[in-house]
Amino acid sequence: LTPGTLVVDKPVAGSATTTSEKEVVIEGRTSAETASISINGYTLSLYVSGKTTWNYIANTEFGTMKRGKNVYRVVARNAGGEILDVLEYTITFNP
């Protein structure tokens, strides 16, 4: 419904980054109409409806990041469950 409102700011703005770190915090922004954010099917439990910032921890110990290419599909939904925006962010992990 509102494409372009969901963005990643860190660790690198845009759609991809490469790291040797075992943990990466992905931080981004969304519209105030966002009621929930999910990443690869997991709904962020600490995200508060209406908040315009969000974050997610990609971590090798948590199993949310593995060696090589990792694609994170971020979906923002409104209170009615409709998709507001979708983006994919890729982290390539090369320890």
Side-chain angles (χ1 to χ4, degrees):
L1 295 175
T2 55
T5 57
L6 189 57
V7 296
V8 170
D9 294 319
K10 294 180 182 178
V12 176
S15 62
T17 192
T18 299
T19 187
S20 61
E21 300 294 320
K22 293 182 178 181
E23 179 176 290
V24 176
V25 178
I26 304 170
E27 298 179 30
R29 292 176 281 124
T30 189
S31 70
E33 290 78 36
T34 303
S36 69
I37 301 244
S38 63
I39 299 179
N40 293 351
Y42 170 76
T43 301
L44 300 182
S45 58
L46 297 178
Y47 176 77
V48 176
S49 180
K51 190 174 175 186
T52 58
T53 59
W54 57 272
N55 62 45
Y56 176 80
I57 299 171
N59 184 300
T60 57
E61 290 181 22
F62 297 166
T64 55
M65 186 168 66
K66 63 184 181 352
R67 181 183 301 264
K69 183 179 179 181
N70 298 270
V71 178
Y72 299 93
R73 186 172 191 268
V74 185
V75 179
R77 295 182 184 271
N78 65 16
E82 298 171 301
I83 294 175
L84 295 173
D85 199 6
V86 176
L87 73 78
E88 287 188 351
Y89 192 76
T90 302
I91 297 176
T92 303
F93 175 53
N94 291 325

